[in-house]
Amino acid sequence: MSGRVCASILQRASSYTLPPSSSVLERVHLVAVPSSQPPRPASLRRLSSTCRPDQLRSSGDEASRSWSRRGRHFSTSEDLDFQLNLMQINSILRSNEQIVSVPEFDGRGLSGVRKFESNQLAANKPNEDRRSAATCLQSKGMLFGVFDGHGGWACAQAVSERLLYYVAVAMMPKKSLEELERCMEHGRPVPPILQWYKHHADLNYRESASLYINHLRVFWQELLDSEEHGEGMNPKDALECAFKRLDADISLEAQVPLSNDLMKSTAIQVAFAGCTACVAHVGVDGIHVANSGDCRAVLGVREEDGSWSALPLSQDHNSNNQAEVERIKALHPPSERDTVVTDERLLGILMPLRSFGDVRFKWSCELQQSILSNLESGVDLDSLNLYQYTPPNYLTPPYLDVTPDITYHKLRPQDHFLILGTDGLWDELGNQEAVRLVGEHQSGIHLQSPVSPSERRLKLGLMLELLLKRRARATPALDANAATHLIRHALGTGEYGELCQGRLAAMLALPEDLARMYRDDITATVVYLNSDLARPCHS
């Protein structure tokens, strides 16, 4: 988090007042270094496919326009309260945290995971991020996922509930699938497929549960009909198959007649919204990571000298990935080469270049118009976040797919933990910084580099800066949960790497519309690996 972000927030707070109808009527107590250049609003980093064209480039200014410029300081009755104390900060940061210890041996075999810690912090209301964690009961390993929604939370919600089931079913042997089918046919209880680890705030689409089960059943029936299935897919094939199959089911469910209007409108919302996904399967021997979009997985490695290094296990699918941009351009005629990716976005609109849902970039124009026009006349499209428009230069769809990149890493004794995060985390922290924070949080040891000969010749002012940075590195952690520790540092790190409570308070106290301009929803899951299982000969 740069000082420029905090300074810009504080400048806005000092030059705008809330309209009279606002309920936030407290006094501002802020100190910040002035800044002349505001940061790029978070709401402009990732424009959704479900915004109307006239909204696409103005969403970052809406919050600003809702404040009235008065050219004076806040009065006592109108001022905005950015003054949170440490107890309030901790309450906000820790409200969604989760810590789960995993038995090393659960009766079915050893586990590659010792425990995991997770947390979420919303900028949007409701939060558009989701997370999932589960143990595979009919096969081996554990599954972890983070999901970043756009155009609303509907797609991320559905994918977080369903994707791990698809992966687990694809890995199940034919004998286990046959038992599932027999139980369904005779109305008997179905053997559990996953052991879920849910936070009490996690939601479920209860109204659509029967639809989801029916399509999952169709999936395993097709696997049963396949002569090649046998003992089940390996994790790599299962992950790829599950991503593609679930996205196809999401598309299908929005097109077919459903039993009630609520289920129909939910299916259409899910399909027209979108989400990126990063899912890890952790086994005893190694990790498979499947990524579609701009979430990220990073492995924390402890080197022989005790320092920490970051090993990326995924690559972002956005315009910063030139190979990904070229892949998409190659799928369309040369005449579209200059329009497929413009302004760092797909067709100038969507930041991630792979995702679930987002049928606005997958279906033909005719199909989109047909589906939306067939909704019940009483349905308010605006309330469903749906708008009838065609993206510019929409000539040869589909422009988007969900096919994940899959990475395999064989576990070594020096591999200690895996960080999964949505892009809201990586907007604020680099891979190496995130790994160092978790590694030092885990070990309690803050390594300092020796003072170099050049540093010994520093003048007094620069020496003070060096000392401040070194002291910041040695500050004890405030959180037991490493994911919370990451989020705290992502939003509250000062100029020298120190935790700045004023900066953190300002970021957490921002009103809903303003918060989305300066930060994104953040989800982080830290998976601690049972690296003792990795024999030395494998390192």
Side-chain angles (χ1 to χ4, degrees), residues 260-321:
N260 60 67
D261 291 343
L262 177 59
M263 193 179 295
K264 179 68 174 178
S265 62
T266 299
I268 291 177
Q269 268 188 292
V270 169
F272 275 82
C275 86
T276 62
C278 187
V279 174
H281 175 271
V282 183
V284 174
D285 297 322
I287 303 172
H288 287 85
V289 172
N291 186 57
S292 181
D294 51 11
C295 296
R296 194 181 302 171
V298 180
L299 188 69
V301 181
R302 188 154 196 180
E303 303 296 348
E304 291 183 0
D305 63 359
S307 64
W308 294 94
S309 63
L311 178 62
L313 295 186
S314 67
Q315 57 176 328
D316 298 348
H317 299 131
N318 56 31
S319 60
N320 294 324
N321 183 340

Short mmCIF file of all heavy atoms in Angstrom, two decimals, residues 260-321:
data_model
loop_
_atom_site.label_atom_id
_atom_site.label_comp_id
_atom_site.label_asym_id
_atom_site.label_seq_id
_atom_site.Cartn_x
_atom_site.Cartn_y
_atom_site.Cartn_z
N ASN A 260 -39.23 -22.99 -11.46
CA ASN A 260 -39.85 -21.79 -10.92
C ASN A 260 -39.06 -20.55 -11.33
O ASN A 260 -37.90 -20.65 -11.76
CB ASN A 260 -39.97 -21.87 -9.39
CG ASN A 260 -38.63 -22.02 -8.70
OD1 ASN A 260 -37.81 -21.10 -8.73
ND2 ASN A 260 -38.38 -23.17 -8.07
N ASP A 261 -39.69 -19.41 -11.17
CA ASP A 261 -39.09 -18.15 -11.64
C ASP A 261 -37.83 -17.80 -10.86
O ASP A 261 -36.88 -17.24 -11.42
CB ASP A 261 -40.10 -17.01 -11.51
CG ASP A 261 -41.25 -17.15 -12.50
OD1 ASP A 261 -41.09 -17.92 -13.47
OD2 ASP A 261 -42.30 -16.51 -12.28
N LEU A 262 -37.80 -18.11 -9.56
CA LEU A 262 -36.64 -17.78 -8.76
C LEU A 262 -35.42 -18.57 -9.24
O LEU A 262 -34.33 -18.01 -9.39
CB LEU A 262 -36.91 -18.09 -7.28
CG LEU A 262 -35.73 -17.86 -6.32
CD1 LEU A 262 -35.25 -16.41 -6.39
CD2 LEU A 262 -36.11 -18.24 -4.90
N MET A 263 -35.62 -19.86 -9.51
CA MET A 263 -34.52 -20.68 -9.98
C MET A 263 -34.06 -20.20 -11.36
O MET A 263 -32.86 -20.17 -11.65
CB MET A 263 -34.95 -22.15 -10.05
CG MET A 263 -33.80 -23.13 -10.24
SD MET A 263 -34.36 -24.85 -10.29
CE MET A 263 -34.99 -25.04 -8.62
N LYS A 264 -35.00 -19.80 -12.20
CA LYS A 264 -34.66 -19.32 -13.53
C LYS A 264 -33.86 -18.02 -13.46
O LYS A 264 -32.82 -17.88 -14.12
CB LYS A 264 -35.94 -19.08 -14.34
CG LYS A 264 -35.71 -18.55 -15.75
CD LYS A 264 -35.05 -19.57 -16.64
CE LYS A 264 -34.96 -19.10 -18.07
NZ LYS A 264 -34.27 -20.08 -18.94
N SER A 265 -34.32 -17.07 -12.65
CA SER A 265 -33.61 -15.80 -12.57
C SER A 265 -32.24 -15.99 -11.94
O SER A 265 -31.27 -15.32 -12.34
CB SER A 265 -34.43 -14.78 -11.76
OG SER A 265 -34.62 -15.21 -10.43
N THR A 266 -32.12 -16.92 -10.99
CA THR A 266 -30.81 -17.20 -10.40
C THR A 266 -29.86 -17.77 -11.43
O THR A 266 -28.69 -17.35 -11.53
CB THR A 266 -30.94 -18.19 -9.22
OG1 THR A 266 -31.77 -17.61 -8.21
CG2 THR A 266 -29.58 -18.53 -8.63
N ALA A 267 -30.34 -18.72 -12.23
CA ALA A 267 -29.50 -19.33 -13.27
C ALA A 267 -29.01 -18.29 -14.27
O ALA A 267 -27.85 -18.32 -14.71
CB ALA A 267 -30.26 -20.45 -13.97
N ILE A 268 -29.88 -17.35 -14.64
CA ILE A 268 -29.50 -16.32 -15.61
C ILE A 268 -28.50 -15.34 -14.98
O ILE A 268 -27.53 -14.93 -15.63
CB ILE A 268 -30.75 -15.60 -16.13
CG1 ILE A 268 -31.56 -16.56 -17.00
CG2 ILE A 268 -30.38 -14.35 -16.92
CD1 ILE A 268 -32.85 -16.00 -17.52
N GLN A 269 -28.73 -14.99 -13.72
CA GLN A 269 -27.77 -14.12 -13.03
C GLN A 269 -26.39 -14.77 -12.98
O GLN A 269 -25.37 -14.12 -13.23
CB GLN A 269 -28.24 -13.87 -11.60
CG GLN A 269 -29.09 -12.63 -11.42
CD GLN A 269 -29.32 -12.35 -9.95
OE1 GLN A 269 -30.00 -13.10 -9.27
NE2 GLN A 269 -28.72 -11.29 -9.46
N VAL A 270 -26.34 -16.04 -12.64
CA VAL A 270 -25.07 -16.76 -12.54
C VAL A 270 -24.35 -16.74 -13.88
O VAL A 270 -23.14 -16.50 -13.98
CB VAL A 270 -25.29 -18.20 -12.06
CG1 VAL A 270 -24.02 -19.03 -12.21
CG2 VAL A 270 -25.76 -18.22 -10.61
N ALA A 271 -25.10 -16.99 -14.96
CA ALA A 271 -24.49 -17.08 -16.29
C ALA A 271 -24.00 -15.74 -16.80
O ALA A 271 -22.92 -15.66 -17.42
CB ALA A 271 -25.49 -17.69 -17.28
N PHE A 272 -24.75 -14.67 -16.56
CA PHE A 272 -24.36 -13.36 -17.09
C PHE A 272 -23.32 -12.67 -16.21
O PHE A 272 -22.55 -11.85 -16.71
CB PHE A 272 -25.59 -12.47 -17.25
CG PHE A 272 -26.30 -12.68 -18.55
CD1 PHE A 272 -27.20 -13.74 -18.70
CD2 PHE A 272 -26.06 -11.88 -19.65
CE1 PHE A 272 -27.85 -13.97 -19.91
CE2 PHE A 272 -26.69 -12.10 -20.86
CZ PHE A 272 -27.59 -13.15 -20.99
N ALA A 273 -23.29 -12.99 -14.92
CA ALA A 273 -22.17 -12.54 -14.08
C ALA A 273 -20.97 -13.43 -14.42
O ALA A 273 -21.04 -14.30 -15.28
CB ALA A 273 -22.54 -12.65 -12.61
N GLY A 274 -19.87 -13.21 -13.74
CA GLY A 274 -18.68 -14.02 -14.01
C GLY A 274 -17.85 -14.17 -12.76
O GLY A 274 -18.06 -13.47 -11.76
N CYS A 275 -16.91 -15.09 -12.81
CA CYS A 275 -15.95 -15.19 -11.72
C CYS A 275 -14.69 -15.89 -12.20
O CYS A 275 -14.74 -16.74 -13.09
CB CYS A 275 -16.53 -15.89 -10.49
SG CYS A 275 -16.44 -17.68 -10.50
N THR A 276 -13.58 -15.50 -11.63
CA THR A 276 -12.32 -16.20 -11.84
C THR A 276 -12.16 -17.21 -10.72
O THR A 276 -12.80 -17.11 -9.66
CB THR A 276 -11.14 -15.23 -11.87
OG1 THR A 276 -11.05 -14.57 -10.61
CG2 THR A 276 -11.33 -14.19 -12.96
N ALA A 277 -11.29 -18.20 -10.92
CA ALA A 277 -11.15 -19.27 -9.94
C ALA A 277 -9.72 -19.79 -9.91
O ALA A 277 -9.08 -19.94 -10.96
CB ALA A 277 -12.11 -20.41 -10.25
N CYS A 278 -9.25 -20.07 -8.71
CA CYS A 278 -7.97 -20.75 -8.53
C CYS A 278 -8.20 -21.86 -7.52
O CYS A 278 -8.61 -21.60 -6.38
CB CYS A 278 -6.91 -19.77 -8.03
SG CYS A 278 -5.24 -20.48 -7.96
N VAL A 279 -7.98 -23.11 -7.94
CA VAL A 279 -8.27 -24.29 -7.11
C VAL A 279 -7.01 -25.14 -7.00
O VAL A 279 -6.33 -25.39 -8.00
CB VAL A 279 -9.42 -25.13 -7.71
CG1 VAL A 279 -9.61 -26.41 -6.91
CG2 VAL A 279 -10.71 -24.32 -7.72
N ALA A 280 -6.71 -25.55 -5.78
CA ALA A 280 -5.54 -26.41 -5.53
C ALA A 280 -6.00 -27.75 -4.99
O ALA A 280 -6.84 -27.81 -4.08
CB ALA A 280 -4.59 -25.75 -4.55
N HIS A 281 -5.46 -28.83 -5.57
CA HIS A 281 -5.62 -30.17 -5.00
C HIS A 281 -4.30 -30.53 -4.34
O HIS A 281 -3.25 -30.57 -5.00
CB HIS A 281 -5.96 -31.20 -6.08
CG HIS A 281 -6.01 -32.61 -5.56
ND1 HIS A 281 -4.89 -33.43 -5.53
CD2 HIS A 281 -7.04 -33.34 -5.05
CE1 HIS A 281 -5.23 -34.60 -5.01
NE2 HIS A 281 -6.52 -34.57 -4.71
N VAL A 282 -4.34 -30.76 -3.02
CA VAL A 282 -3.13 -31.06 -2.26
C VAL A 282 -3.16 -32.53 -1.86
O VAL A 282 -4.03 -32.95 -1.09
CB VAL A 282 -3.01 -30.17 -1.01
CG1 VAL A 282 -1.69 -30.46 -0.28
CG2 VAL A 282 -3.09 -28.70 -1.39
N GLY A 283 -2.24 -33.29 -2.41
CA GLY A 283 -2.10 -34.69 -2.07
C GLY A 283 -0.86 -34.91 -1.22
O GLY A 283 -0.15 -33.98 -0.86
N VAL A 284 -0.59 -36.17 -0.92
CA VAL A 284 0.57 -36.49 -0.10
C VAL A 284 1.87 -36.19 -0.84
O VAL A 284 2.85 -35.73 -0.25
CB VAL A 284 0.53 -37.97 0.32
CG1 VAL A 284 1.81 -38.38 1.04
CG2 VAL A 284 -0.68 -38.24 1.21
N ASP A 285 1.87 -36.38 -2.14
CA ASP A 285 3.10 -36.23 -2.92
C ASP A 285 3.27 -34.87 -3.57
O ASP A 285 4.40 -34.45 -3.84
CB ASP A 285 3.17 -37.31 -4.01
CG ASP A 285 3.23 -38.71 -3.42
OD1 ASP A 285 3.90 -38.87 -2.39
OD2 ASP A 285 2.61 -39.62 -3.98
N GLY A 286 2.17 -34.19 -3.86
CA GLY A 286 2.32 -32.95 -4.60
C GLY A 286 1.05 -32.12 -4.65
O GLY A 286 0.00 -32.50 -4.12
N ILE A 287 1.16 -31.00 -5.33
CA ILE A 287 0.08 -30.02 -5.46
C ILE A 287 -0.23 -29.81 -6.93
O ILE A 287 0.68 -29.57 -7.73
CB ILE A 287 0.47 -28.68 -4.83
CG1 ILE A 287 0.87 -28.84 -3.37
CG2 ILE A 287 -0.66 -27.66 -4.97
CD1 ILE A 287 1.45 -27.57 -2.77
N HIS A 288 -1.51 -29.88 -7.27
CA HIS A 288 -1.98 -29.46 -8.59
C HIS A 288 -2.77 -28.16 -8.40
O HIS A 288 -3.65 -28.10 -7.54
CB HIS A 288 -2.90 -30.51 -9.22
CG HIS A 288 -2.19 -31.73 -9.71
ND1 HIS A 288 -1.90 -32.80 -8.87
CD2 HIS A 288 -1.71 -32.07 -10.94
CE1 HIS A 288 -1.28 -33.75 -9.57
NE2 HIS A 288 -1.15 -33.33 -10.82
N VAL A 289 -2.46 -27.16 -9.19
CA VAL A 289 -3.19 -25.88 -9.13
C VAL A 289 -3.81 -25.62 -10.50
O VAL A 289 -3.12 -25.66 -11.52
CB VAL A 289 -2.26 -24.71 -8.76
CG1 VAL A 289 -3.00 -23.38 -8.89
CG2 VAL A 289 -1.74 -24.88 -7.33
N ALA A 290 -5.11 -25.38 -10.50
CA ALA A 290 -5.83 -25.01 -11.72
C ALA A 290 -6.28 -23.57 -11.58
O ALA A 290 -6.95 -23.21 -10.60
CB ALA A 290 -7.04 -25.92 -11.93
N ASN A 291 -5.93 -22.74 -12.55
CA ASN A 291 -6.25 -21.31 -12.47
C ASN A 291 -6.89 -20.83 -13.76
O ASN A 291 -6.43 -21.14 -14.86
CB ASN A 291 -4.99 -20.49 -12.21
CG ASN A 291 -5.31 -19.03 -11.99
OD1 ASN A 291 -6.09 -18.69 -11.10
ND2 ASN A 291 -4.75 -18.15 -12.81
N SER A 292 -7.98 -20.08 -13.58
CA SER A 292 -8.65 -19.44 -14.71
C SER A 292 -8.96 -18.01 -14.30
O SER A 292 -9.86 -17.77 -13.49
CB SER A 292 -9.94 -20.20 -15.06
OG SER A 292 -10.59 -19.60 -16.16
N GLY A 293 -8.16 -17.06 -14.80
CA GLY A 293 -8.37 -15.67 -14.44
C GLY A 293 -7.19 -15.10 -13.69
O GLY A 293 -6.04 -15.50 -13.90
N ASP A 294 -7.45 -14.17 -12.77
CA ASP A 294 -6.36 -13.45 -12.12
C ASP A 294 -6.29 -13.65 -10.61
O ASP A 294 -5.70 -12.82 -9.90
CB ASP A 294 -6.42 -11.96 -12.45
CG ASP A 294 -7.79 -11.35 -12.21
OD1 ASP A 294 -8.64 -12.02 -11.59
OD2 ASP A 294 -8.01 -10.20 -12.64
N CYS A 295 -6.87 -14.73 -10.09
CA CYS A 295 -6.50 -15.17 -8.75
C CYS A 295 -5.11 -15.80 -8.84
O CYS A 295 -4.59 -15.99 -9.93
CB CYS A 295 -7.52 -16.17 -8.20
SG CYS A 295 -9.19 -15.51 -7.97
N ARG A 296 -4.53 -16.16 -7.71
CA ARG A 296 -3.14 -16.60 -7.77
C ARG A 296 -2.82 -17.58 -6.64
O ARG A 296 -3.38 -17.48 -5.54
CB ARG A 296 -2.21 -15.40 -7.68
CG ARG A 296 -0.76 -15.66 -8.07
CD ARG A 296 0.09 -14.39 -7.93
NE ARG A 296 -0.40 -13.29 -8.74
CZ ARG A 296 0.06 -12.04 -8.65
NH1 ARG A 296 1.03 -11.76 -7.78
NH2 ARG A 296 -0.43 -11.09 -9.43
N ALA A 297 -1.90 -18.52 -6.94
CA ALA A 297 -1.38 -19.47 -5.95
C ALA A 297 0.13 -19.33 -5.90
O ALA A 297 0.80 -19.36 -6.94
CB ALA A 297 -1.77 -20.89 -6.32
N VAL A 298 0.68 -19.18 -4.69
CA VAL A 298 2.12 -18.99 -4.50
C VAL A 298 2.59 -19.92 -3.38
O VAL A 298 1.97 -19.96 -2.31
CB VAL A 298 2.45 -17.52 -4.15
CG1 VAL A 298 3.95 -17.35 -3.95
CG2 VAL A 298 1.94 -16.58 -5.24
N LEU A 299 3.66 -20.63 -3.64
CA LEU A 299 4.23 -21.57 -2.67
C LEU A 299 5.30 -20.88 -1.85
O LEU A 299 6.15 -20.15 -2.38
CB LEU A 299 4.83 -22.76 -3.41
CG LEU A 299 5.30 -23.95 -2.56
CD1 LEU A 299 4.12 -24.67 -1.93
CD2 LEU A 299 6.11 -24.92 -3.42
N GLY A 300 5.28 -21.09 -0.53
CA GLY A 300 6.29 -20.56 0.37
C GLY A 300 7.38 -21.58 0.62
O GLY A 300 7.12 -22.67 1.14
N VAL A 301 8.61 -21.25 0.23
CA VAL A 301 9.75 -22.17 0.31
C VAL A 301 10.77 -21.61 1.28
O VAL A 301 11.17 -20.44 1.19
CB VAL A 301 10.40 -22.36 -1.08
CG1 VAL A 301 11.57 -23.33 -1.00
CG2 VAL A 301 9.36 -22.84 -2.10
N ARG A 302 11.22 -22.46 2.22
CA ARG A 302 12.26 -22.03 3.15
C ARG A 302 13.62 -22.49 2.66
O ARG A 302 13.86 -23.69 2.47
CB ARG A 302 12.00 -22.60 4.55
CG ARG A 302 12.95 -22.01 5.58
CD ARG A 302 12.37 -22.03 6.95
NE ARG A 302 13.10 -21.14 7.86
CZ ARG A 302 12.79 -20.98 9.13
NH1 ARG A 302 11.77 -21.63 9.64
NH2 ARG A 302 13.48 -20.17 9.89
N GLU A 303 14.50 -21.54 2.43
CA GLU A 303 15.82 -21.84 1.90
C GLU A 303 16.76 -22.31 3.01
O GLU A 303 16.44 -22.22 4.20
CB GLU A 303 16.40 -20.60 1.21
CG GLU A 303 15.53 -20.03 0.10
CD GLU A 303 15.34 -20.98 -1.08
OE1 GLU A 303 16.08 -21.99 -1.15
OE2 GLU A 303 14.47 -20.73 -1.93
N GLU A 304 17.94 -22.81 2.62
CA GLU A 304 18.88 -23.37 3.58
C GLU A 304 19.35 -22.33 4.60
O GLU A 304 19.67 -22.67 5.74
CB GLU A 304 20.08 -23.98 2.86
CG GLU A 304 19.73 -25.23 2.06
CD GLU A 304 20.95 -25.85 1.41
OE1 GLU A 304 22.07 -25.29 1.59
OE2 GLU A 304 20.81 -26.88 0.74
N ASP A 305 19.40 -21.06 4.19
CA ASP A 305 19.87 -20.02 5.12
C ASP A 305 18.75 -19.49 6.01
O ASP A 305 18.96 -18.54 6.78
CB ASP A 305 20.52 -18.88 4.36
CG ASP A 305 19.54 -18.16 3.43
OD1 ASP A 305 18.37 -18.58 3.36
OD2 ASP A 305 19.95 -17.19 2.76
N GLY A 306 17.56 -20.09 5.93
CA GLY A 306 16.44 -19.65 6.76
C GLY A 306 15.57 -18.60 6.14
O GLY A 306 14.51 -18.27 6.69
N SER A 307 15.96 -18.05 5.00
CA SER A 307 15.14 -17.04 4.33
C SER A 307 13.99 -17.71 3.58
O SER A 307 13.97 -18.93 3.39
CB SER A 307 15.99 -16.21 3.37
OG SER A 307 16.50 -17.03 2.33
N TRP A 308 13.05 -16.88 3.14
CA TRP A 308 11.86 -17.39 2.44
C TRP A 308 11.87 -16.93 0.99
O TRP A 308 12.21 -15.79 0.69
CB TRP A 308 10.60 -16.89 3.13
CG TRP A 308 10.43 -17.44 4.51
CD1 TRP A 308 10.83 -16.86 5.69
CD2 TRP A 308 9.85 -18.70 4.86
NE1 TRP A 308 10.53 -17.68 6.74
CE2 TRP A 308 9.93 -18.81 6.26
CE3 TRP A 308 9.29 -19.73 4.12
CZ2 TRP A 308 9.45 -19.92 6.95
CZ3 TRP A 308 8.80 -20.85 4.81
CH2 TRP A 308 8.89 -20.94 6.20
N SER A 309 11.48 -17.83 0.10
CA SER A 309 11.35 -17.47 -1.31
C SER A 309 9.98 -17.91 -1.81
O SER A 309 9.37 -18.84 -1.28
CB SER A 309 12.45 -18.12 -2.15
OG SER A 309 12.36 -19.53 -2.11
N ALA A 310 9.50 -17.21 -2.83
CA ALA A 310 8.16 -17.46 -3.39
C ALA A 310 8.28 -18.20 -4.71
O ALA A 310 9.07 -17.81 -5.58
CB ALA A 310 7.44 -16.14 -3.59
N LEU A 311 7.48 -19.25 -4.85
CA LEU A 311 7.42 -20.00 -6.11
C LEU A 311 6.00 -19.92 -6.64
O LEU A 311 5.09 -20.57 -6.10
CB LEU A 311 7.83 -21.46 -5.88
CG LEU A 311 7.76 -22.38 -7.11
CD1 LEU A 311 8.73 -21.90 -8.19
CD2 LEU A 311 8.07 -23.82 -6.72
N PRO A 312 5.74 -19.14 -7.70
CA PRO A 312 4.38 -19.05 -8.25
C PRO A 312 3.95 -20.39 -8.84
O PRO A 312 4.70 -21.02 -9.57
CB PRO A 312 4.50 -17.98 -9.34
CG PRO A 312 5.79 -17.27 -9.07
CD PRO A 312 6.69 -18.26 -8.42
N LEU A 313 2.72 -20.79 -8.52
CA LEU A 313 2.14 -22.02 -9.08
C LEU A 313 0.98 -21.71 -10.02
O LEU A 313 0.23 -22.61 -10.39
CB LEU A 313 1.69 -22.96 -7.97
CG LEU A 313 2.79 -23.52 -7.06
CD1 LEU A 313 2.21 -24.55 -6.10
CD2 LEU A 313 3.93 -24.12 -7.87
N SER A 314 0.82 -20.46 -10.38
CA SER A 314 -0.20 -20.07 -11.36
C SER A 314 0.29 -18.84 -12.09
O SER A 314 1.22 -18.16 -11.65
CB SER A 314 -1.54 -19.78 -10.67
OG SER A 314 -1.43 -18.63 -9.85
N GLN A 315 -0.33 -18.55 -13.21
CA GLN A 315 -0.05 -17.31 -13.94
C GLN A 315 -1.35 -16.57 -14.16
O GLN A 315 -2.40 -17.18 -14.38
CB GLN A 315 0.64 -17.60 -15.28
CG GLN A 315 -0.13 -18.51 -16.21
CD GLN A 315 0.58 -18.67 -17.55
OE1 GLN A 315 1.24 -17.76 -18.03
NE2 GLN A 315 0.43 -19.85 -18.16
N ASP A 316 -1.29 -15.25 -14.05
CA ASP A 316 -2.49 -14.43 -14.20
C ASP A 316 -2.92 -14.41 -15.66
O ASP A 316 -2.09 -14.28 -16.57
CB ASP A 316 -2.22 -13.00 -13.74
CG ASP A 316 -1.84 -12.92 -12.27
OD1 ASP A 316 -1.99 -13.93 -11.56
OD2 ASP A 316 -1.39 -11.84 -11.84
N HIS A 317 -4.22 -14.47 -15.88
CA HIS A 317 -4.78 -14.34 -17.22
C HIS A 317 -5.36 -12.93 -17.35
O HIS A 317 -6.56 -12.70 -17.17
CB HIS A 317 -5.85 -15.40 -17.47
CG HIS A 317 -5.33 -16.80 -17.39
ND1 HIS A 317 -5.94 -17.80 -16.66
CD2 HIS A 317 -4.24 -17.37 -17.95
CE1 HIS A 317 -5.24 -18.92 -16.77
NE2 HIS A 317 -4.22 -18.69 -17.56
N ASN A 318 -4.49 -12.01 -17.65
CA ASN A 318 -4.91 -10.63 -17.91
C ASN A 318 -3.96 -10.02 -18.93
O ASN A 318 -3.09 -10.71 -19.48
CB ASN A 318 -4.98 -9.82 -16.61
CG ASN A 318 -3.67 -9.83 -15.85
OD1 ASN A 318 -2.58 -9.91 -16.44
ND2 ASN A 318 -3.75 -9.74 -14.52
N SER A 319 -4.10 -8.74 -19.19
CA SER A 319 -3.33 -8.11 -20.26
C SER A 319 -1.84 -7.99 -19.93
O SER A 319 -1.04 -7.72 -20.82
CB SER A 319 -3.90 -6.73 -20.58
OG SER A 319 -3.84 -5.89 -19.44
N ASN A 320 -1.48 -8.19 -18.67
CA ASN A 320 -0.05 -8.20 -18.31
C ASN A 320 0.65 -9.48 -18.78
O ASN A 320 1.87 -9.53 -18.79
CB ASN A 320 0.12 -8.05 -16.80
CG ASN A 320 -0.35 -6.70 -16.30
OD1 ASN A 320 -0.19 -5.70 -16.99
ND2 ASN A 320 -0.93 -6.67 -15.12
N ASN A 321 -0.13 -10.48 -19.12
CA ASN A 321 0.38 -11.76 -19.62
C ASN A 321 0.32 -11.72 -21.14
O ASN A 321 -0.72 -12.00 -21.75
CB ASN A 321 -0.47 -12.90 -19.05
CG ASN A 321 0.01 -14.28 -19.46
OD1 ASN A 321 0.75 -14.43 -20.43
ND2 ASN A 321 -0.42 -15.29 -18.72
#
